[in-house]
Amino acid sequence: MATDPGAATRHWHCLGSGEAAAHLDSDLDKGLSVDAAATRLEQAGPNALVEAGRRHPLTMLASQFTDFMILVLIAAAIIAGFIGEPQDTIAIVVIVFLNGIIGFVQEYRAERAMAALKQMSSPQARVIRDGQSALIDATDLVPGDLVELEAGNILPADLRLTELASLKVDESALTGESQPVDKQLTPLQATDLPLGDRLNLAYKGTVVTYGRARGLVVATGMQTELGKIATLLSGESGKTPLQKRLARFGQHLALVVLAICAIIFVAGWLRGEPPMVMLLTAISLAVAAIPEALPAVVTISLALGAARLVRQNALIRRLPAVETLGSVTYICSDKTGTLTLNQMQVDCVLAAGETRPGLKDAARAPWRELGLAMALCNDAVADADGKLAGDPTETALLEAAQAAGYAKPEWQETLPRLAELPFDSERARMSTLHRDGEGVLMLVKGAPEGVLSLCVDQLAAGGVTPIDQAALQDEAEQLAAQGLRVLAFALKRLPQMPDALDAAALEAGLTFIGLAGLIDPPRPEAAESVAACKTAGIIPVMITGDHPATARAIASRLGIIEEGGKVLTGSELARLSLEDFEREVESVRVYARINPEQKIKIVQALQDKGEFVAMTGDGVNDAPALKMADIGVAMGRGGTDVAREAAHMTLLDDNFATIVHAVREGRRIFDNIRKFVKYTMTSNSGEIWTIFLAPFLGLPIPLLPIHILWINLVTDGLPGLALAGERAERNVMQRPPRPPKESIFAHGMWQHILWVGLLMGAVSLLTQAWAIHSGAAHWQSMVFTVLTLSQLGHVLAIRSERESLFTQGVLSNRMLIAALLLTFALQMAVLYVPWLNPIFRTEPLSLYELAACLALSSVVFIGVEIEKALVRRGWIYNSP
């Protein structure tokens, strides 16, 4: 009980019912007294999941503006306002505000995971107090209460079962077990059993599918297994790979910009330039060098990607998750309902020494009798629409029988059921008795060890033959080793209906019919998706609460594990120290009998090794790992609300293959963001080199502050944003994931920024020197135009890291072409619209001068195309 200091850690499954009642000061017949229950409720608190203190919405909103890059942008807005450029101030403030709102909405929605988890609690429970049955609010349950259960109930707390009748509980959402669990009362010996093997316990939030029971409450609220998961969900989520890269980028950029601006100011001042002019120039360069459009480009890229993924049945809950999928190196996938159908099917049948994939051509013995047994020794039924309802194992058997022509309604008329011996965990079998002419046909179904030992012969094509129980048991074990759930079928003919239904007497002297092996099969598209992940350099890992043999069988069919590959169980994982486990974690592909805490341990171990981890799942037991992973992917159809709220992305069609499309989209988005960074930083580099080198070459300051800000506004604006719509590179899914610690400037990007920026500066200064030497009065307008047009040529050339623009197709990104035409038109307006000349300090150029500017600015485009040709030949850079 709550006042017992050892209750939280006591191994209730190792205690008998009486011992558990004694520890809880309760009674197996009368339960607690009303007074004792009230006292314990005050001590233990309500049976509810407790949410961590929520932050005030204003606090959440304010926290969105503490990122270093955001602070730099706010400073840039202040500076822009100080030098009299309100349009830049407004643009920056709007972008920062929109980013903050998006971040706030995402964080606010993330807190709904706990609310969804709370909704899984049963609203009411039937409890025995003072020997009287009563229906009470589940939140009023306390340790020691005696609770009654029946089919359809949601477990209101964690219980030690004390009485039961054919109880089956669906624990798939909590443990990952793909089929309802048959419960028992017998105390268990091992203290470290995984949840799925603690057969005498039932857990809060799971569902009774069959039978009835009584049980003592051993844990309530946050002490339940569901409560422990709620505790795991309360942690903070880490930053995405994109956020980490951009944070590093922003910090480094700010320091570099400040240093360069200081050098330019001091150099100009020492050269004799007016200090105020140099100060304004340095500040203008600082504003221009900071890519204030970067947050907008990132947000637009992610939003467009999210919109595309919705059309492919992937709903993005947090925008950065789109890009994160392009970074993952491991996908840790739950088995049940994710890689498999979460629907039992008959995989094979065995009779008369022959194994078949199904009951086809089953018109003669023993296949005929096996089909009858699968259909009639079965409590599953079909509704008006023909949909089967009942225990998943029985619906699978009936489906296989009906597919072979054994329609249950027709055979029920021919062989009507007279009585039954229902299944119980001690016998591990069920029997049904049917009228067969003047006699009675008894059909038996159960675990092989519970049926074969009762058989005295077996049915073959030519009649009854001697039985080799050891050989048949070995066959059953071989099927079980393949991950199948094996059931044995037998029959017995009686001359008449017995007077008493004595299971021991009736279920003796049976004739063995055959075996059926069932499995929750892989999704049809899952194997192809796993192969696609491997091609993309992503390692798929299966993490399941199911049995090791089942996990190995499914993983082998999907290509996740090789022949002889290791399956690590939860018990084995618990015995490994963190250091030992981290040495093994990158070589293990399948984990079985894993509990929620261990799922987090696996994800963390991979992250500690420097991997980016995606976790897919659908159950409550997956939610903590979904939140902890770099990208959590929940199932939309078969998944729980808890999993969806904790995840970053939801698959609306529960199709593992959709993840492959999302990975491709994530890689495309990162490539496009990288292209924007390359574009804007090269442009800024060109502006800085132009102004920095001019004094050392004996040239006057080539650009005024208004020119710098205009170039930054028109070139970083529409053309930069249009890069977000660029198509994916052709090799996007044939290359490995980006190394987690790889800089955004890898693969020759910083070299490109440096040399192309120098080339832009050189062309601009060459234009300035030539114009001054030739006596052109408006040389500054020519430098202004060449630098602007050079950047437009540059954005055309960097649309691909490798391919030529002409191979891609000039019009393949029409949004970019439209942006370039508009930018060119705006630049011409600044030169040729008279009332704009005094604002921008420009003068109209002659046709000859404009042609010269166009020719000189094309040098940058040609240079970058040559660079890409060298990349394609493998002569420079380590291209992605």
Side-chain angles (χ1 to χ4, degrees):
M1 55 183 280
T3 56
D4 180 356
T9 56
R10 180 164 288 122
H11 302 295
W12 295 104
H13 60 281
C14 298
L15 302 179
S17 300
E19 293 177 282
H23 279 296
L24 293 163
D25 293 332
S26 186
D27 186 281
L28 292 178
D29 295 319
K30 297 182 179 180
L32 295 174
S33 67
V34 174
D35 292 340
T39 302
R40 294 186 186 189
L41 185 61
E42 290 182 6
Q43 296 172 341
N47 176 32
L49 301 184
V50 180
E51 297 184 62
R54 289 191 176 186
R55 290 195 298 165
H56 192 278
L58 290 178
T59 304
M60 280 194 285
L61 181 61
S63 68
Q64 307 304 318
F65 302 98
T66 58
D67 183 78
F68 188 82
M69 186 67 175
I70 296 298
L71 292 175
V72 171
L73 288 173
I74 292 172
I78 295 172
I79 293 172
F82 175 75
I83 64 174
E85 299 298 336
Q87 68 274 19
D88 278 334
T89 300
I90 293 171
I92 295 171
V93 168
V94 168
I95 289 169
V96 168
F97 182 73
L98 287 176
N99 257 347
I101 292 297
I102 291 171
F104 166 75
V105 171
Q106 291 167 353
E107 187 172 342
Y108 187 79
R109 290 178 64 190
E111 292 200 356
R112 293 172 57 192
M114 180 66 73
L117 193 60
K118 290 181 72 175
Q119 290 176 0
M120 292 195 65
S121 302
S122 174
Q124 290 188 314
R126 184 163 292 282
V127 65
I128 306 295
R129 288 180 178 170
D130 284 329
Q132 300 296 316
S133 176
L135 199 62
I136 67 171
D137 287 341
T139 55
D140 293 334
L141 283 178
V142 295
D145 263 329
L146 186 62
V147 175
E148 292 185 321
L149 301 172
E150 60 184 23
N153 287 164
I154 297 176
L155 268 292
D158 285 2
L159 306 181
R160 170 59 169 95
L161 299 171
T162 60
E163 297 179 26
L164 58 79
S166 304
L167 184 69
K168 296 186 179 184
V169 180
D170 180 1
E171 299 180 343
S172 61
L174 186 65
T175 67
E177 184 73 47
S178 58
Q179 53 193 326
V181 179
D182 294 310
K183 293 297 182 177
Q184 65 181 45
L185 301 179
T186 309
L188 304 171
Q189 299 300 316
T191 59
D192 60 347
L193 288 176
L195 298 184
D197 290 338
R198 300 177 190 177
L199 301 179
N200 51 25
L201 298 183
Y203 302 107
K204 181 181 177 71
T206 60
V207 182
V208 177
T209 61
Y210 189 82
R212 61 186 184 277
R214 278 188 179 187
L216 287 168
V217 174
V218 297
T220 60
M222 299 301 285
Q223 298 301 315
T224 63
E225 295 300 327
L226 195 67
K228 294 175 184 177
I229 291 176
T231 302
L232 296 174
L233 279 172
S234 64
E236 292 291 326
S237 298
K239 287 188 174 183
T240 68
L242 182 64
Q243 289 169 326
K244 294 173 184 175
R245 287 184 172 93
L246 293 182
R248 288 195 299 266
F249 169 62
Q251 292 169 4
H252 297 157
L253 174 62
L255 295 174
V256 170
V257 167
L258 291 175
I260 290 175
C261 291
I263 292 171
I264 288 175
F265 172 76
V266 172
W269 180 58
L270 292 176
R271 187 174 176 272
E273 298 286 348
M276 185 54 66
V277 172
M278 292 311 303
L279 177 62
L280 290 176
T281 301
I283 292 175
S284 300
L285 269 181
V287 174
I290 296 172
E292 63 267 20
L294 180 58
V297 168
V298 172
T299 302
I300 290 172
S301 297
L302 297 178
L304 290 175
R308 272 187 287 268
L309 285 174
V310 166
R311 293 194 291 270
Q312 297 176 22
N313 292 309
L315 176 64
I316 304 301
R317 298 186 57 81
R318 295 181 58 224
L319 282 180
V322 183
E323 183 276 334
T324 310
L325 269 169
S327 307
V328 297
T329 55
Y330 275 75
I331 295 181
C332 296
S333 175
D334 179 47
K335 176 185 74 67
T336 305
T338 306
L339 291 168
T340 66
L341 294 171
N342 196 16
Q343 177 183 335
M344 296 297 290
Q345 291 183 5
V346 174
D347 186 72
C348 65
V349 289
L350 181 150
E354 181 185 353
T355 302
R356 295 182 179 182
L359 283 171
K360 294 180 180 179
D361 303 322
R364 57 189 178 85
W367 304 104
R368 175 181 178 276
E369 284 73 10
L370 182 57
L372 287 174
M374 289 168 62
L376 297 178
C377 189
N378 193 320
D379 289 329
V381 294
D383 60 20
D385 298 326
K387 185 178 180 180
L388 300 181
D391 178 85
T393 298
E394 294 198 325
T395 58
L397 292 171
L398 183 55
E399 183 178 37
Q402 291 188 158
Y406 292 91
K408 187 173 183 177
E410 297 175 9
W411 282 100
Q412 281 178 324
E413 291 182 9
T414 305
L415 300 169
R417 183 185 293 192
L418 302 175
E420 68 175 298
L421 296 169
F423 176 90
D424 67 53
S425 55
E426 293 182 8
R427 288 167 44 244
R429 59 185 174 272
M430 71 173 288
S431 299
T432 54
L433 289 83
H434 304 264
R435 173 68 61 194
D436 185 11
E438 296 297 322
V440 174
L441 172 65
M442 186 173 76
L443 299 172
V444 183
K445 172 187 72 184
E449 61 272 18
V451 174
L452 285 170
S453 61
L454 302 175
C455 294
V456 295
D457 50 29
Q458 67 177 346
L459 193 62
V464 175
T465 62
I467 187 172
D468 186 342
Q469 290 185 358
L472 289 171
Q473 186 63 45
D474 185 57
E475 292 272 11
E477 290 174 359
Q478 289 182 29
L479 292 176
Q482 298 173 29
L484 302 177
R485 184 185 185 191
V486 184
L487 292 175
F489 295 86
L491 62 80
K492 183 178 182 180
R493 297 191 181 275
L494 304 172
Q496 61 187 18
M497 188 66 187
D499 295 330
L501 295 178
D502 181 8
L506 289 175
E507 295 176 340
L510 303 178
T511 298
F512 175 76
I513 305 173
L515 301 172
L518 299 95
I519 198 167
D520 177 13
R523 291 178 173 273
E525 69 284 345
E528 183 180 344
S529 302
V530 167
C533 286
K534 289 185 173 181
T535 301
I538 301 168
I539 298 174
V541 173
M542 177 190 289
I543 303 177
T544 179
D546 222 330
H547 293 281
T550 305
R552 178 184 292 278
I554 297 296
S556 298
R557 294 188 187 196
L558 294 174
I560 292 176
I561 193 173
E562 304 295 334
E563 186 70 30
K566 183 175 182 180
V567 175
L568 191 66
T569 65
S571 299
E572 293 169 335
L573 177 57
R575 290 193 291 269
L576 289 174
S577 68
L578 182 61
E579 294 76 13
D580 291 339
F581 177 49
E582 287 189 352
R583 281 193 288 271
E584 275 195 56
V585 68
E586 291 182 304
S587 63
V588 180
R589 298 290 177 267
V590 179
Y591 297 86
R593 283 302 195 203
I594 297 296
N595 63 40
E597 292 89 345
Q598 289 175 326
K599 290 187 178 188
I600 291 182
K601 183 178 179 182
I602 294 166
V603 171
Q604 286 181 324
L606 287 169
Q607 290 173 332
D608 289 345
K609 298 292 285 186
E611 306 291 350
F612 277 135
V613 184
M615 171 72 189
T616 72
D618 61 350
V620 177
N621 61 321
D622 299 316
L626 290 176
K627 182 172 183 179
M628 179 64 66
D630 295 292
I631 168 70
V633 184
M635 302 296 112
R637 285 185 179 174
T640 60
D641 287 343
V642 181
R644 286 192 287 269
E645 291 290 345
H648 306 80
M649 184 177 92
T650 299
L651 303 184
L652 301 178
D653 57 357
D654 287 11
N655 191 339
F656 188 80
T658 304
I659 298 175
V660 179
H661 301 308
V663 167
R664 176 184 176 87
E665 187 64 27
R667 292 186 176 189
R668 185 192 71 84
I669 285 172
F670 182 81
D671 284 350
N672 289 347
I673 292 171
R674 179 181 147 91
K675 289 170 189 175
F676 174 79
V677 173
K678 176 191 284 189
Y679 166 62
T680 189
M681 292 309 300
T682 303
S683 299
N684 296 347
S685 172
E687 296 163 25
I688 290 172
W689 283 121
T690 300
I691 294 176
F692 181 73
L693 294 176
F696 298 100
L697 298 176
L699 297 171
I701 297 297
L703 297 169
L704 297 174
I706 187 63
H707 297 152
I708 298 170
L709 293 173
W710 171 257
I711 292 172
N712 186 59
L713 180 64
V714 298
T715 60
D716 280 5
L718 292 175
L721 294 175
L723 282 173
E726 196 61 54
R727 294 179 180 178
E729 299 276 349
R730 293 180 192 238
N731 69 335
V732 72
M733 290 301 286
Q734 280 72 52
R735 67 193 192 208
R738 298 184 304 278
K741 296 183 180 179
E742 179 181 278
S743 167
I744 196 172
F745 295 99
H747 306 295
M749 185 163 149
W750 70 265
Q751 296 97 320
H752 175 96
I753 291 171
L754 183 63
W755 85 262
V756 177
L758 275 170
L759 180 61
M760 279 187 189
V763 170
S764 300
L765 292 173
L766 177 63
T767 302
Q768 182 184 10
W770 170 72
I772 292 174
H773 180 73
S774 63
H778 32 262
W779 56 266
Q780 201 165 55
S781 294
M782 293 182 67
V783 176
F784 177 35
T785 302
V786 166
L787 190 53
T788 302
L789 298 183
S790 293
Q791 294 181 16
L792 299 186
H794 179 237
V795 77
L796 274 175
I798 65 162
R799 285 180 51 199
S800 171
E801 301 257 5
R802 300 170 56 89
E803 291 183 62
S804 166
L805 172 67
F806 306 105
T807 302
Q808 281 184 285
V810 176
L811 299 178
S812 58
N813 186 344
R814 296 185 179 181
M815 186 167 61
L816 178 61
I817 298 302
L820 290 178
L821 292 175
L822 178 58
T823 302
F824 181 79
L826 290 173
Q827 180 65 23
M828 293 302 101
V830 166
L831 291 175
Y832 295 108
V833 175
W835 63 270
L836 290 177
N837 292 149
I839 297 176
F840 290 95
R841 312 285 180 83
T842 55
E843 296 171 325
L845 302 180
S846 67
L847 184 60
Y848 170 74
E849 289 170 335
L850 180 60
C853 289
L854 289 169
L856 286 166
S857 61
S858 66
V859 170
V860 172
F861 173 81
I862 295 169
V864 177
E865 283 291 333
I866 293 172
E867 178 192 47
K868 290 193 294 184
L870 299 177
V871 170
R872 289 194 295 273
R873 289 167 173 76
W875 292 355
I876 59 172
Y877 310 150
N878 178 23
S879 180

